[in-house]
Amino acid sequence: MTRIPYETSGEPNPLQALTLDRLRRRTSMKWRTHPADVLPLWVAEMDVPLAEPVVRAVTEAMELGDTGYPVGTSYAEALAAFARKRWDWDGLAVERTAIVPDVMLGVVEMLRLVTGHGDPVVVNPPVYPPFYDFVRHLGREVAEAPLDAGGRIGLDVLESTFRRVTAGGRRAAYLLCSPHNPTGTVHTADELTAVAALAERYGVRVVADEIHAPLVVGDTRFVPYLSVPGGERGLSLMSASKAWNLAGLKAALAVAGPDAAGDLARMPEEVGHGPSHVGILAHTAALRDGTPWLDALLAGLDANRGLLAGLLAERLPAVRYRPGEATYLAWLDCRSLGLGDDPAEVFLEHGRVALNAGPPFGTGGAGHARLNLAASPEVIGEAVRRMAVAVERAGHRP
């Protein structure tokens, strides 16, 4: 497997480009949910300027008044080319893709295709909280198959869960988070092949949320679920939104394995009206021309992982942190601090720093918090300082 080394991109670190004063002028959820004295390191927005090719594409669209309805396969073609270069995967067939409004709404549409009302959907907690919210809103039942102590898929647990939820011939789906949010685990080819074999054995349909796929560290290999033996019946959701900070420019792609093409073909045509045309232009530009910017970001995130580990060892040694192999999220085990099930509440109240609370991530989330690493080193340092102050003010040992 050959990866493009991000250390040689030549681009400046985008995480060091913006001042805190400038960031506080933003009006998005990250910067407007809490009062101005709170340092926000929670929701998955990055403190970066946009990649120049993205700015250029959106600016040209504005100048042309190109703000109509989306059409064509440019996004899928750009993603297929990116997949060949970054993941050595040439199996992303443009004809087996469809544009969807965003990854989670795409997940809903894929689950609607392969399950019915009341059917179980298996997830691996601790996991992205909207997995619970969207699945339940769809009228499906969430079934948990928790990760093991190392933050990896426990195949024995997964098999027992598949066996239980399909008993009596019930239909079921498995909502795979790959790479995993919040742990940053990157599932290996062997693990995914084993998952596919289990899914085939029990008749479980796999829907993979692969939104963090471009955000993999160093020599670690991202393996698309549809690329492994047995993944042919799978469905995947991909997007440039997380890697290039484009959440506000809605667009994603549903991708079908060869044996799931018929399922994707049943998706209602009107679903494709949901994505933003400007969003598709932005995502396409990011995938085609934004890799030098991405490589600089990855190098900056790698440095921030090491920085956070060192700061926690110095200021909050009781917090256990295993740097992830992907994403820009840090999963912090704060149970030894004695702050209860929701340490993020203590950090916010006593330290004025906002992290994501652990309990909404499901089983394994209590006593944990998720920290957003996509910030400047100075902001990361200030966040840990505030967290340590919060622990002291709450009357606990750091």
Side-chain angles (χ1 to χ4, degrees), residues 49-137:
L50 292 183
E52 192 276 334
V54 172
V55 174
R56 185 169 64 247
V58 173
T59 301
E60 289 176 356
M62 296 301 104
E63 291 173 345
L64 290 170
D66 189 9
T67 53
Y69 298 103
V71 68
T73 58
S74 59
Y75 189 2
E77 291 164 9
L79 179 59
F82 182 86
R84 283 192 295 269
K85 293 176 182 177
R86 301 295 280 206
W87 309 323
D88 283 351
W89 182 43
D90 62 2
L92 198 160
V94 172
E95 65 272 17
R96 294 200 306 271
T97 66
I99 55 172
V100 291
D102 59 31
V103 163
M104 282 311 303
L105 289 177
V107 164
V108 167
E109 294 300 332
M110 298 306 100
L111 291 175
R112 201 188 305 274
L113 293 174
V114 298
T115 62
H117 186 81
D119 285 341
V121 176
V122 177
V123 302
N124 299 127
V127 73
Y128 185 50
F131 276 22
Y132 293 89
D133 302 331
F134 279 80
V135 167
R136 288 168 177 155
H137 183 69

Side-chain angles (χ1 to χ4, degrees), residues 1 19 70 73 104 106 108 115 131 163 197 206 228 244 254 261 286 292-293 322 328 335 368 377 389 393 395:
M1 177 71 184
T19 65
T73 58
M104 282 311 303
V108 167
T115 62
F131 276 22
R163 184 186 303 114
V206 178
V228 303
W244 282 273
W293 183 94
R322 180 191 298 115
Y328 49 79
R335 288 174 293 180
H368 291 70
V389 168
R393 288 177 176 171

Side-chain angles (χ1 to χ4, degrees), residues 21 25 37 43 58 73 76 137 156 164 182 193 209 215 223 247 267 277 291 312 321 340 344 365-366 382 384 388:
D21 286 343
R25 291 167 54 190
D37 67 326
V43 70
V58 173
T73 58
H137 183 69
D156 289 343
R164 174 173 58 82
T193 300
D209 171 356
L215 291 163
V223 180
M267 190 178 75
H277 175 53
T291 51
L312 290 173
Y321 165 54
E382 174 63 11
V384 175

Side-chain angles (χ1 to χ4, degrees), residues 243-266:
W244 282 273
N245 207 42
L246 303 176
L249 291 168
K250 293 285 189 179
L253 282 165
V255 186
D259 294 343
D263 295 304
L264 189 60
R266 291 188 289 106

